[in-house]
Amino acid sequence: MSGRLWLKMGAAGGIMCIGGPALIYYVTPTEEELFKRYNPELQKRSLENRQKKQEDFDNFVGKLKEYSRSNKPIWEVAAEDEARTRATGIEEQRRITDEIQKRRDEIKRHSLNPN
């Protein structure tokens, strides 16, 4: 192959490797530009939900940091935490159901025996 062909291939590769990402960077709008393009109602809703989204993200990052302290892989620790949370929720639901049943029984007892 001639040197001219190598030069063409090198130039084409350079244009694709450098020019492609540069074009994407140039064409992609910033978050502010996207926000300005929203209609007013959507801007209002986005501003209202911003705090909640930030809190959710902070909680997510906090849990990831907590999971990373373990020697186990993060996905195993997350699965264990999810199972623990689910078990706690089921136990809480069971406790509430028992309490409701006790109240119903007490109401029945009082309605049958009004003394």
Side-chain angles (χ1 to χ4, degrees):
M1 285 201 228
S2 68
R4 188 173 177 198
L5 185 59
W6 280 101
L7 184 62
K8 283 179 170 179
M9 288 178 16
I15 289 172
M16 284 190 270
C17 291
I18 296 170
L23 178 64
I24 295 296
Y25 181 75
Y26 176 74
V27 173
T28 304
T30 63
E31 288 186 28
E32 293 84 26
E33 291 172 343
L34 285 176
F35 185 75
K36 289 177 183 177
R37 290 183 188 173
Y38 289 172
N39 64 25
E41 180 183 323
L42 196 55
Q43 284 181 357
K44 181 181 174 189
R45 196 175 340 148
S46 178
L47 288 173
E48 289 172 355
N49 293 335
R50 183 174 285 173
Q51 182 67 25
K52 183 179 182 328
K53 286 182 181 180
Q54 185 64 37
E55 289 173 4
D56 290 344
F57 179 75
D58 291 342
N59 290 337
F60 174 73
V61 170
K63 283 191 174 198
L64 281 180
K65 286 181 182 179
E66 180 183 324
Y67 297 159
S68 67
R69 290 187 188 121
S70 174
N71 292 334
K72 297 179 184 177
I74 289 178
W75 56 89
E76 287 181 8
V77 178
E80 290 172 0
D81 186 47
E82 184 179 318
R84 187 174 29 252
T85 303
R86 189 179 305 124
T88 304
I90 290 171
E91 185 61 37
E92 180 70 19
Q93 189 67 29
R94 187 175 295 132
R95 186 188 62 77
I96 291 171
T97 304
D98 290 345
E99 186 176 314
I100 289 171
Q101 187 61 38
K102 286 179 185 178
R103 287 181 185 174
R104 285 181 182 166
D105 292 343
E106 185 176 327
I107 290 171
K108 283 182 183 179
R109 209 172 344 113
H110 284 292
S111 67
L112 293 175
N113 189 5
N115 294 341

